[in-house]
Amino acid sequence: MPATRIAQLAFDATADVAPADAIYMRAALAAAEEAALSGEVPVGAVVVARGEVVAVAHNQRETTNDPTAHAEIVALRMAAARLGSWRLVDADLYVTMEPCPMCAGAIVNARIRRLVYGCDDPKAGAVRTLFQLLEDQRLNHRVEAVPGVLASECAALLKSFFSRLRVR
């Protein structure tokens, strides 16, 4: 996503959220909206390395018939390919919903520096809701986590999507 488009998305960042976090979370929300339009659960992810957006992705499980095609996994694969390394030590990941155990494991394995996410996932959250994988001392890497960035907007998008499904 071009930087100018990302900057346009940040016009109403709140005071309690770092401006850069709001900008990149809005980009993840835009990706999540694209997912919803294609019939995917609306979760979006953005990887930022050294101040540059290196990957933007959304869920693609339905489209690709791939159970691992969560927004986070797709974004991590894209970022690793673009940066030429699976070690994303200088990268931050922005995602609209708390990662599941699979995605949290991939985040740890990719050596992501910082995770910023929107709403909690009470059914599968592996950052703080059900599990705390990113700070588990038994693992070889720990990831700083910033929860709740634009949480109400992220949750509203998911609620709207599932409400429309139930009406059908």
Side-chain angles (χ1 to χ4, degrees), residues 16-142:
D16 61 335
V17 173
D21 288 350
I23 289 169
Y24 298 128
M25 187 59 74
R26 290 208 180 285
L29 273 163
E33 290 169 357
E34 288 180 32
L37 291 174
S38 62
E40 297 282 353
V41 173
V43 176
V46 173
V47 179
V48 178
R50 296 177 292 283
E52 178 187 358
V53 174
V54 295
V56 178
H58 59 73
N59 275 357
Q60 297 178 22
R61 291 188 315 169
E62 301 299 327
T63 306
T64 62
N65 291 315
D66 178 354
T68 69
H70 289 199
E72 301 94 312
I73 301 294
V74 176
L76 291 173
R77 287 176 180 155
M78 292 170 65
R82 177 145 182 220
L83 296 172
S85 176
W86 62 267
R87 290 179 184 89
L88 303 175
V89 295
D90 294 324
D92 298 340
L93 174 62
Y94 294 81
V95 63
T96 56
M97 185 169 74
E98 179 182 11
C100 71
M102 174 184 70
C103 293
I107 290 164
V108 169
N109 282 320
R111 312 298 197 269
I112 287 290
R113 180 178 69 127
R114 186 168 166 261
L115 168 72
V116 179
Y117 70 91
C119 59
D120 290 340
D121 182 353
K123 294 184 178 183
V127 175
R128 74 174 188 171
T129 304
L130 298 179
F131 307 102
Q132 295 79 42
L133 291 180
L134 301 188
E135 58 191 38
D136 191 315
Q137 297 296 315
R138 297 169 294 180
L139 300 177
N140 63 335
H141 179 71
R142 251 83 51 232

